[in-house]
Amino acid sequence: ASPGIAWGVPFLPKNTFEDVSAIVLSESKDLQIVRSNKAVLGLVGEIKAAKASAATHLNANELAIFDAYDMILAHDTFQSQVIDKINAGRSCPQAIGDVMEEITDPLLESDDLYLRERAFDIQDIGKRLISRLVEGDSEQPGLLSPTEPHILVTHTLPIFDPIS
């Protein structure tokens, strides 16, 4: 993402998405469904705020990704798939992880580079939702800010709400 050579302390953001199989919540299924809905609504608000902030320096085509994120989260199919998995015995974070994998796996297998890149964006949505559930509604769920200058080390760089 950046040319040149850098010297500093590496910072690896926590990645809760890959570890959801170990997460088990002791809450009732109904409460987990409520928490899932709350996490989705919170993330939809975060996406709308990020889009408004980015509107000053991105063109309409680039801003369309925010609409795609919003469409995925607001789609009844996504929410019903999560609820079905919760009712089948998965914890809320596990259910979201499962649904996100079902959405992204075909995209990751595609020969189309654009579709594979969108899969990483969709995975970011899943990570943010799971972080909201596991860690609560912090300002930047899933991300502890380093206290010193650092070099960000990551497989993918989220498109919205960049690390400051």
Side-chain angles (χ1 to χ4, degrees):
S2 179
I5 298 172
W7 182 269
V9 177
F11 174 67
L12 290 85
K14 292 190 329 183
N15 192 350
T16 57
F17 190 62
E18 282 84 5
D19 301 325
V20 294
S21 62
I23 299 169
V24 178
L25 298 178
S26 59
E27 301 167 342
S28 71
K29 292 176 182 177
D30 290 338
L31 186 54
Q32 289 192 56
I33 291 168
V34 168
R35 286 187 61 204
S36 170
N37 291 335
K38 182 181 175 191
V40 168
L41 288 174
L43 188 55
V44 166
E46 182 183 334
I47 291 169
K48 287 182 186 204
K51 181 181 178 183
S53 174
T56 60
H57 59 278
L58 296 179
N59 66 41
N61 287 339
E62 294 166 328
L63 289 172
I65 191 68
F66 294 102
D67 296 329
Y69 293 161
D70 190 38
M71 189 171 61
I72 290 168
L73 291 170
H75 200 275
D76 290 338
T77 303
F78 169 77
Q79 293 178 353
S80 66
Q81 287 175 323
V82 171
I83 290 169
D84 288 347
K85 291 188 182 304
I86 291 170
N87 285 329
R90 302 289 280 165
S91 71
C92 187
Q94 290 170 331
I96 289 171
D98 290 350
V99 173
M100 287 299 172
E101 283 183 15
E102 290 170 7
I103 293 170
T104 59
D105 281 353
L107 299 176
L108 289 169
E109 294 172 6
S110 171
D111 292 333
D112 187 330
L113 178 61
Y114 178 81
L115 291 177
R116 288 194 311 267
E117 289 175 355
R118 296 300 66 84
F120 294 123
D121 294 336
I122 294 168
Q123 286 176 342
D124 186 55
I125 291 173
K127 291 174 189 178
R128 289 171 183 271
L129 281 173
I130 291 167
S131 292
R132 285 180 173 277
L133 291 163
V134 174
E135 300 168 17
D137 294 323
S138 65
E139 191 172 309
Q140 281 191 309
L143 187 62
L144 297 176
S145 297
T147 57
E148 58 191 337
H150 60 280
I151 298 170
L152 176 65
V153 179
T154 182
H155 289 285
T156 60
L157 193 59
I159 193 166
F160 67 96
D161 197 22
I163 300 166
S164 54

